[in-house]
Amino acid sequence: MKIAFFDTKPYDLTYFEPMGKDVGIEFLFYETKLNERTVELARGCDGVCAFVNDTVNAAVIDALYSMDIHVLAMRCAGFNNVDVRHAEGKVHILRVPAYSPYAVAEHAMALLLTSIRRIHKAYIRTRDYNFSLNNMVGFDLHGKTVGIVGTGKIGRVFADICRGFGMHILAYDKYPTEMEGVTYTTMETLLRESDIISLHCPLTEETRHLISYDSLPLLKKGVVIINTSRGGLIHAEALLDGIKSRRIGAACLDVYEEEGDIFHEDNSGHILDDDTLARLISMPNVIVTSHQAFLTTDALCNIAETTTANLVSFEATGASENEVLISHI
Ligand code: NAD
């Protein structure tokens, strides 16, 4: 099988190249992202492999179909960047539903601890021999209330971690399931009562801008908001206003609504056109990481394993248990 692999980073080569060789898949690695202009690079291949910030819209799907390419393996869990409805009957979309919920949940907690204990500030200060503690006061997590939106694989691991810290746990999920030590409630109560809110639901039409201008007046003053899920869950300008008005105490963002052409790339030395992102990054109480919550050796290994297994299964049977179906959206 010959697979065009878009948005390649050095860590992808480490895992995908040897695993592909083992199962007879030749990956053609392209650094460029997949979109209407680059899809032509896939001509002559049997399939395509794409990631979170590739564009898989109707035009890209039609182009693949016209090149007789009928399988696209997403090497991630989310598929909000894929027009699944348009792909039906043309291109099979495969994905990696679970590779390490621990990687993402642990990153969410790392961001939270960094933010509230000012570790990012301390690191810079002590390197400059500045040992002052001014403006470094944090707060205990023990006894605080965390609101978790989405208690699937990642949300549940995050809840377990929070329980270990002695926190009270509120949760909101469209499909709640029993969980020890977790109290399900409405989204409104979660917004009103949480000291910390962590988002772990997928980005859908329903969840877009879950945190918006409408949410701001409901939030507890000083709330810490963590988003390791998808940028579109938060209206970024509303978040910025919430921070400027001091209603939101801190934000920990691994994802950003307009991250597409910015995250995962070295933009140092460039002028950032996105004023909202620039302003967010300039805030002392905002931490931004570059959609890296998944980036552990364990997760990368699992991603490569499942992606190649999905392709092998598709080649052998025309199907994969990890196909995205219309019923999933
Ligand atoms: P999952 O499917 O196991 O869980 C998602 C949960 O969200 C489910 O319990 C579901 O019922 C719930 N949900 C669905 N619609 C909802 C709604 N309208 N309101 C509230 N809850 C709703 O997914 P997961 O593996 O836990 O991943 C969660 C998200 O994390 C993914 O969708 C993906 O966007 C994101 N993610 C980010 C990274 C990263 O590197 N930052 C890595 C992996 C996944």
Side-chain angles (χ1 to χ4, degrees):
M1 250 189 148
K2 209 157 119 189
I3 302 292
F5 193 105
F6 286 87
D7 199 10
T8 306
K9 296 288 183 281
Y11 47 79
D12 291 317
L13 295 173
T14 310
Y15 293 89
F16 275 90
E17 209 163 29
M19 257 182 228
K21 272 196 188 120
D22 284 351
V23 296
I25 296 177
E26 184 194 348
F27 288 111
L28 302 187
F29 293 102
Y30 295 112
E31 284 183 18
T32 183
K33 289 191 174 61
L34 174 62
N35 56 42
E36 300 91 325
R37 294 183 305 282
T38 60
V39 64
E40 189 58 30
L41 291 167
R43 190 173 289 282
C45 289
D46 305 297
V48 165
C49 185
F51 197 45
V52 292
N53 287 323
D54 287 305
T55 303
V56 192
N57 58 16
V60 169
I61 289 162
D62 287 343
L64 292 174
Y65 186 66
S66 73
M67 290 183 236
D68 211 19
I69 295 175
H70 300 290
V71 64
L72 184 141
M74 297 298 294
R75 51 183 191 280
C76 53
F79 47 87
N80 52 286
N81 52 332
V82 179
D83 189 338
V84 176
R85 283 182 212 285
H86 194 81
E88 201 187 18
K90 293 179 177 159
V91 178
H92 295 263
I93 311 294
L94 318 180
R95 68 167 182 142
V96 185
Y99 45 84
S100 172
Y102 310 103
V104 183
E106 288 170 14
H107 191 77
M109 182 48 85
L111 286 173
L112 175 60
L113 286 170
T114 301
S115 169
I116 66 165
R117 303 309 301 269
R118 315 283 192 266
I119 305 297
H120 54 311
K121 300 283 171 200
Y123 176 75
I124 291 166
R125 276 193 193 182
T126 55
R127 284 170 69 91
D128 207 22
Y129 304 132
N130 174 356
F131 298 102
S132 158
L133 292 182
N134 294 343
N135 297 317
M136 296 294 250
V137 181
F139 64 80
D140 293 6
L141 286 180
H142 188 268
K144 296 295 184 301
T145 299
V146 60
I148 300 178
V149 183
T151 50
K153 292 175 283 297
I154 297 169
R156 292 170 90 84
V157 174
F158 188 69
D160 280 344
I161 295 173
C162 290
R163 229 186 356 254
F165 276 80
M167 301 168 83
H168 304 298
I169 305 171
L170 293 178
Y172 171 72
D173 195 297
K174 197 174 170 188
Y175 308 103
T177 46
E178 278 295 301
M179 243 191 111
E180 198 197 325
V182 173
T183 307
Y184 281 97
T185 184
T186 61
M187 187 64 193
E188 184 176 331
T189 305
L190 184 146
L191 292 174
R192 284 187 191 283
E193 296 187 2
S194 301
D195 301 296
I196 293 134
I197 296 173
S198 195
L199 305 179
H200 298 290
C201 61
L203 176 62
T204 63
E205 280 156 33
E206 222 175 339
T207 60
R208 183 173 295 281
H209 294 171
L210 201 66
I211 303 291
S212 64
Y213 280 106
D214 293 341
S215 331
L216 292 184
L218 306 178
L219 295 171
K220 209 164 169 177
K221 192 164 166 28
V223 64
V224 180
I225 296 188
I226 310 164
N227 189 6
T228 55
S229 199
R230 283 294 181 268
L233 297 177
I234 297 182
H235 188 296
E237 276 157 32
L239 179 77
L240 187 56
D241 275 11
I243 287 164
K244 282 177 7 193
S245 67
R246 281 44 171 190
R247 164 83 48 188
I248 295 172
C252 305
L253 309 174
D254 185 50
V255 285
Y256 174 69
E257 194 166 10
E258 302 299 332
E259 70 181 49
D261 290 331
I262 304 170
F263 281 24
H264 296 170
E265 306 300 333
D266 181 358
N267 287 296
S268 54
H270 292 253
I271 290 167
L272 191 59
D273 288 327
D274 187 324
D275 289 349
T276 308
L277 180 60
R279 193 84 172 91
L280 281 169
I281 288 172
S282 76
M283 295 286 176
N285 51 353
V286 176
I287 298 181
V288 175
T289 53
S290 182
H291 203 142
Q292 72 176 67
F294 73 98
L295 198 64
T296 66
T297 52
D298 314 76
L300 287 171
C301 188
N302 293 338
I303 288 171
E305 240 168 42
T306 307
T307 306
T308 49
N310 285 347
L311 287 164
V312 167
S313 162
F314 185 83
E315 194 192 25
T317 66
S320 156
E321 58 175 351
N322 292 325
E323 178 159 359
V324 180
L325 303 170
I326 294 271
S327 55
H328 290 148
I329 56 175

